[in-house]
Amino acid sequence: MSSMKIYILTHKKFDYEESDLYEPLLNGSALLNEDFGYTRDDTGDNISELNPYYAELTGEYWAWKNSNVDIIGFCHYRRYFVNLPSMKKIERKDIEEILKDYDIIMPQKRYTSKKNIEEIHQGHVDSNICQTVEDYEILRKIIKEKTPEYLESYDQVLEEKEVYWYNSYICKKEIFDDYFEWMYTILEEYRKQNDFSKYEDGNKRVLGYLSERLINVYLKKHDLKVKEKFFYQSELRIPILTLVENRFPVVQRLFGMILK
């Protein structure tokens, strides 16, 4: 039987059912005064102190360097992969069965009315989020210099009208290791070149945002076979609307207020 662990990435205390499969992982724990009894991301080889810039990726970095399971996954303290229509979290038997035929489990893909690069620009203009088109131009330059074999996939992702979000997935550890090493190499070079003082505190976590596009690049480059699962956000009063909302951009606008 394969060893397996899904880390619940969190920066705060939350209610959860104890499980051999699911394990809370406290992100940025080097900067926190409490640990709540959770596994911390500031032990062993870690970048916990960089959490303001990397966000949940400090937890994933810790798992990359310190976890030795065969199958690894990540979700958030408010969001879980679930089975429909029961809305119950997926368990070991579900994962084992899926990974017989697929390379990776991802949240349901989100479709948009604009190309990814246009969405980035519009989001920056409308919401004052930290990502700008210029950020992605810098990212492209780094990819071209460091790993040019990924450049075509990068350009294709930014021209598409679909994307996987949330930095949440489940796959064999060797796939995760390969992905994270590539992604971290790109983002660490970006961090060295970037001036984070230009961002407000809440937007300094730009590296986490950029990685959400990069995993799409990795999936495309390696032509991984993806199994999409519904990703349940526990606060939503009508969670099933997320399934429809992700598939049809017009519904995103009609139900935007309900889904917030």
Side-chain angles (χ1 to χ4, degrees), residues 208-228:
Y209 291 132
L210 295 176
S211 69
E212 289 183 299
R213 289 310 195 307
L214 289 181
I215 193 169
N216 288 270
V217 176
Y218 185 88
L219 294 175
K220 181 174 288 293
K221 167 62 181 173
H222 293 277
D223 195 25
L224 295 188
K225 192 173 182 182
V226 177
K227 174 63 176 178
E228 295 184 15

mmCIF file of all heavy atoms in Angstrom, residues 208-228:
data_model
loop_
_atom_site.group_PDB
_atom_site.id
_atom_site.type_symbol
_atom_site.label_atom_id
_atom_site.label_comp_id
_atom_site.label_asym_id
_atom_site.label_seq_id
_atom_site.Cartn_x
_atom_site.Cartn_y
_atom_site.Cartn_z
ATOM 1 N N GLY A 208 2.889 33.559 -4.738
ATOM 2 C CA GLY A 208 1.816 32.574 -4.665
ATOM 3 C C GLY A 208 0.857 32.711 -5.832
ATOM 4 O O GLY A 208 0.414 31.713 -6.412
ATOM 5 N N TYR A 209 0.532 33.959 -6.196
ATOM 6 C CA TYR A 209 -0.356 34.191 -7.335
ATOM 7 C C TYR A 209 0.283 33.714 -8.641
ATOM 8 O O TYR A 209 -0.358 33.069 -9.469
ATOM 9 C CB TYR A 209 -0.671 35.687 -7.461
ATOM 10 C CG TYR A 209 -1.533 36.240 -6.357
ATOM 11 C CD1 TYR A 209 -1.165 37.426 -5.717
ATOM 12 C CD2 TYR A 209 -2.708 35.609 -5.967
ATOM 13 C CE1 TYR A 209 -1.956 37.958 -4.698
ATOM 14 C CE2 TYR A 209 -3.492 36.126 -4.957
ATOM 15 C CZ TYR A 209 -3.118 37.306 -4.326
ATOM 16 O OH TYR A 209 -3.902 37.828 -3.335
ATOM 17 N N LEU A 210 1.550 34.031 -8.831
ATOM 18 C CA LEU A 210 2.228 33.643 -10.058
ATOM 19 C C LEU A 210 2.291 32.126 -10.207
ATOM 20 O O LEU A 210 2.181 31.594 -11.311
ATOM 21 C CB LEU A 210 3.645 34.228 -10.084
ATOM 22 C CG LEU A 210 3.756 35.755 -10.131
ATOM 23 C CD1 LEU A 210 5.220 36.180 -10.065
ATOM 24 C CD2 LEU A 210 3.085 36.326 -11.370
ATOM 25 N N SER A 211 2.461 31.437 -9.094
ATOM 26 C CA SER A 211 2.567 29.973 -9.157
ATOM 27 C C SER A 211 1.276 29.336 -9.647
ATOM 28 O O SER A 211 1.297 28.242 -10.230
ATOM 29 C CB SER A 211 2.940 29.413 -7.783
ATOM 30 O OG SER A 211 1.872 29.556 -6.864
ATOM 31 N N GLU A 212 0.130 30.005 -9.418
ATOM 32 C CA GLU A 212 -1.137 29.444 -9.884
ATOM 33 C C GLU A 212 -1.169 29.358 -11.405
ATOM 34 O O GLU A 212 -1.826 28.476 -11.965
ATOM 35 C CB GLU A 212 -2.304 30.278 -9.373
ATOM 36 C CG GLU A 212 -2.522 30.136 -7.886
ATOM 37 C CD GLU A 212 -3.733 30.912 -7.402
ATOM 38 O OE1 GLU A 212 -3.741 32.150 -7.553
ATOM 39 O OE2 GLU A 212 -4.660 30.279 -6.870
ATOM 40 N N ARG A 213 -0.491 30.264 -12.089
ATOM 41 C CA ARG A 213 -0.376 30.155 -13.542
ATOM 42 C C ARG A 213 0.695 29.138 -13.928
ATOM 43 O O ARG A 213 0.562 28.409 -14.911
ATOM 44 C CB ARG A 213 -0.034 31.513 -14.145
ATOM 45 C CG ARG A 213 -1.136 32.591 -14.147
ATOM 46 C CD ARG A 213 -2.426 32.126 -14.698
ATOM 47 N NE ARG A 213 -3.437 33.061 -15.065
ATOM 48 C CZ ARG A 213 -3.982 34.043 -14.359
ATOM 49 N NH1 ARG A 213 -3.502 34.353 -13.180
ATOM 50 N NH2 ARG A 213 -4.984 34.749 -14.819
ATOM 51 N N LEU A 214 1.772 29.074 -13.142
ATOM 52 C CA LEU A 214 2.879 28.187 -13.501
ATOM 53 C C LEU A 214 2.505 26.712 -13.451
ATOM 54 O O LEU A 214 3.009 25.923 -14.248
ATOM 55 C CB LEU A 214 4.085 28.453 -12.591
ATOM 56 C CG LEU A 214 4.816 29.779 -12.838
ATOM 57 C CD1 LEU A 214 6.001 29.920 -11.885
ATOM 58 C CD2 LEU A 214 5.281 29.898 -14.280
ATOM 59 N N ILE A 215 1.623 26.318 -12.538
ATOM 60 C CA ILE A 215 1.255 24.905 -12.515
ATOM 61 C C ILE A 215 0.505 24.533 -13.788
ATOM 62 O O ILE A 215 0.618 23.412 -14.297
ATOM 63 C CB ILE A 215 0.434 24.533 -11.265
ATOM 64 C CG1 ILE A 215 0.361 23.003 -11.151
ATOM 65 C CG2 ILE A 215 -0.964 25.159 -11.295
ATOM 66 C CD1 ILE A 215 -0.178 22.496 -9.844
ATOM 67 N N ASN A 216 -0.234 25.477 -14.351
ATOM 68 C CA ASN A 216 -0.896 25.231 -15.630
ATOM 69 C C ASN A 216 0.129 25.038 -16.747
ATOM 70 O O ASN A 216 -0.076 24.232 -17.652
ATOM 71 C CB ASN A 216 -1.816 26.405 -15.963
ATOM 72 C CG ASN A 216 -3.054 26.447 -15.093
ATOM 73 O OD1 ASN A 216 -4.087 25.876 -15.414
ATOM 74 N ND2 ASN A 216 -2.945 27.130 -13.960
ATOM 75 N N VAL A 217 1.220 25.792 -16.662
ATOM 76 C CA VAL A 217 2.295 25.643 -17.640
ATOM 77 C C VAL A 217 2.919 24.260 -17.537
ATOM 78 O O VAL A 217 3.159 23.580 -18.543
ATOM 79 C CB VAL A 217 3.370 26.729 -17.426
ATOM 80 C CG1 VAL A 217 4.548 26.531 -18.378
ATOM 81 C CG2 VAL A 217 2.757 28.114 -17.622
ATOM 82 N N TYR A 218 3.168 23.812 -16.310
ATOM 83 C CA TYR A 218 3.780 22.498 -16.101
ATOM 84 C C TYR A 218 2.878 21.382 -16.616
ATOM 85 O O TYR A 218 3.340 20.448 -17.281
ATOM 86 C CB TYR A 218 4.081 22.299 -14.618
ATOM 87 C CG TYR A 218 4.817 21.011 -14.328
ATOM 88 C CD1 TYR A 218 6.207 20.968 -14.369
ATOM 89 C CD2 TYR A 218 4.129 19.841 -14.021
ATOM 90 C CE1 TYR A 218 6.892 19.783 -14.114
ATOM 91 C CE2 TYR A 218 4.803 18.658 -13.769
ATOM 92 C CZ TYR A 218 6.187 18.633 -13.817
ATOM 93 O OH TYR A 218 6.858 17.455 -13.578
ATOM 94 N N LEU A 219 1.597 21.476 -16.321
ATOM 95 C CA LEU A 219 0.653 20.458 -16.780
ATOM 96 C C LEU A 219 0.644 20.357 -18.294
ATOM 97 O O LEU A 219 0.608 19.263 -18.869
ATOM 98 C CB LEU A 219 -0.755 20.784 -16.275
ATOM 99 C CG LEU A 219 -0.992 20.732 -14.771
ATOM 100 C CD1 LEU A 219 -2.402 21.212 -14.447
ATOM 101 C CD2 LEU A 219 -0.767 19.330 -14.212
ATOM 102 N N LYS A 220 0.670 21.512 -18.955
ATOM 103 C CA LYS A 220 0.640 21.527 -20.418
ATOM 104 C C LYS A 220 1.943 20.994 -20.999
ATOM 105 O O LYS A 220 1.925 20.183 -21.933
ATOM 106 C CB LYS A 220 0.368 22.944 -20.919
ATOM 107 C CG LYS A 220 0.304 23.066 -22.444
ATOM 108 C CD LYS A 220 -0.105 24.447 -22.875
ATOM 109 C CE LYS A 220 -1.575 24.683 -22.584
ATOM 110 N NZ LYS A 220 -2.461 23.825 -23.435
ATOM 111 N N LYS A 221 3.059 21.445 -20.460
ATOM 112 C CA LYS A 221 4.356 21.020 -20.964
ATOM 113 C C LYS A 221 4.510 19.505 -20.909
ATOM 114 O O LYS A 221 5.003 18.870 -21.845
ATOM 115 C CB LYS A 221 5.465 21.712 -20.164
ATOM 116 C CG LYS A 221 6.860 21.136 -20.359
ATOM 117 C CD LYS A 221 7.337 21.244 -21.792
ATOM 118 C CE LYS A 221 8.730 20.641 -21.942
ATOM 119 N NZ LYS A 221 9.150 20.583 -23.362
ATOM 120 N N HIS A 222 4.074 18.908 -19.812
ATOM 121 C CA HIS A 222 4.264 17.471 -19.623
ATOM 122 C C HIS A 222 3.049 16.646 -20.041
ATOM 123 O O HIS A 222 3.057 15.417 -19.885
ATOM 124 C CB HIS A 222 4.631 17.192 -18.166
ATOM 125 C CG HIS A 222 5.972 17.744 -17.783
ATOM 126 N ND1 HIS A 222 7.145 17.086 -18.033
ATOM 127 C CD2 HIS A 222 6.316 18.923 -17.216
ATOM 128 C CE1 HIS A 222 8.163 17.811 -17.610
ATOM 129 N NE2 HIS A 222 7.690 18.933 -17.114
ATOM 130 N N ASP A 223 2.038 17.324 -20.554
ATOM 131 C CA ASP A 223 0.831 16.659 -21.054
ATOM 132 C C ASP A 223 0.284 15.676 -20.021
ATOM 133 O O ASP A 223 -0.037 14.520 -20.334
ATOM 134 C CB ASP A 223 1.136 15.926 -22.364
ATOM 135 C CG ASP A 223 -0.120 15.525 -23.113
ATOM 136 O OD1 ASP A 223 -1.163 16.180 -22.918
ATOM 137 O OD2 ASP A 223 -0.055 14.543 -23.888
ATOM 138 N N LEU A 224 0.200 16.145 -18.766
ATOM 139 C CA LEU A 224 -0.286 15.282 -17.697
ATOM 140 C C LEU A 224 -1.792 15.047 -17.835
ATOM 141 O O LEU A 224 -2.539 15.940 -18.223
ATOM 142 C CB LEU A 224 0.015 15.901 -16.330
ATOM 143 C CG LEU A 224 1.493 16.046 -15.961
ATOM 144 C CD1 LEU A 224 1.632 16.484 -14.519
ATOM 145 C CD2 LEU A 224 2.258 14.744 -16.198
ATOM 146 N N LYS A 225 -2.205 13.860 -17.501
ATOM 147 C CA LYS A 225 -3.619 13.503 -17.561
ATOM 148 C C LYS A 225 -4.277 13.929 -16.246
ATOM 149 O O LYS A 225 -3.942 13.421 -15.174
ATOM 150 C CB LYS A 225 -3.781 12.000 -17.772
ATOM 151 C CG LYS A 225 -5.206 11.585 -18.128
ATOM 152 C CD LYS A 225 -5.262 10.118 -18.497
ATOM 153 C CE LYS A 225 -6.682 9.734 -18.899
ATOM 154 N NZ LYS A 225 -6.756 8.271 -19.223
ATOM 155 N N VAL A 226 -5.198 14.880 -16.331
ATOM 156 C CA VAL A 226 -5.777 15.522 -15.152
ATOM 157 C C VAL A 226 -7.183 14.995 -14.868
ATOM 158 O O VAL A 226 -8.016 14.914 -15.769
ATOM 159 C CB VAL A 226 -5.851 17.055 -15.346
ATOM 160 C CG1 VAL A 226 -6.530 17.717 -14.145
ATOM 161 C CG2 VAL A 226 -4.456 17.625 -15.562
ATOM 162 N N LYS A 227 -7.422 14.669 -13.618
ATOM 163 C CA LYS A 227 -8.770 14.364 -13.145
ATOM 164 C C LYS A 227 -9.249 15.561 -12.337
ATOM 165 O O LYS A 227 -8.675 15.901 -11.300
ATOM 166 C CB LYS A 227 -8.776 13.116 -12.267
ATOM 167 C CG LYS A 227 -10.137 12.816 -11.625
ATOM 168 C CD LYS A 227 -11.211 12.521 -12.654
ATOM 169 C CE LYS A 227 -12.527 12.131 -11.982
ATOM 170 N NZ LYS A 227 -13.608 11.894 -12.975
ATOM 171 N N GLU A 228 -10.289 16.214 -12.804
ATOM 172 C CA GLU A 228 -10.845 17.347 -12.082
ATOM 173 C C GLU A 228 -11.825 16.870 -11.014
ATOM 174 O O GLU A 228 -12.659 16.007 -11.273
ATOM 175 C CB GLU A 228 -11.566 18.305 -13.038
ATOM 176 C CG GLU A 228 -10.646 18.973 -14.038
ATOM 177 C CD GLU A 228 -11.379 19.991 -14.896
ATOM 178 O OE1 GLU A 228 -12.513 20.379 -14.538
ATOM 179 O OE2 GLU A 228 -10.817 20.395 -15.936
#
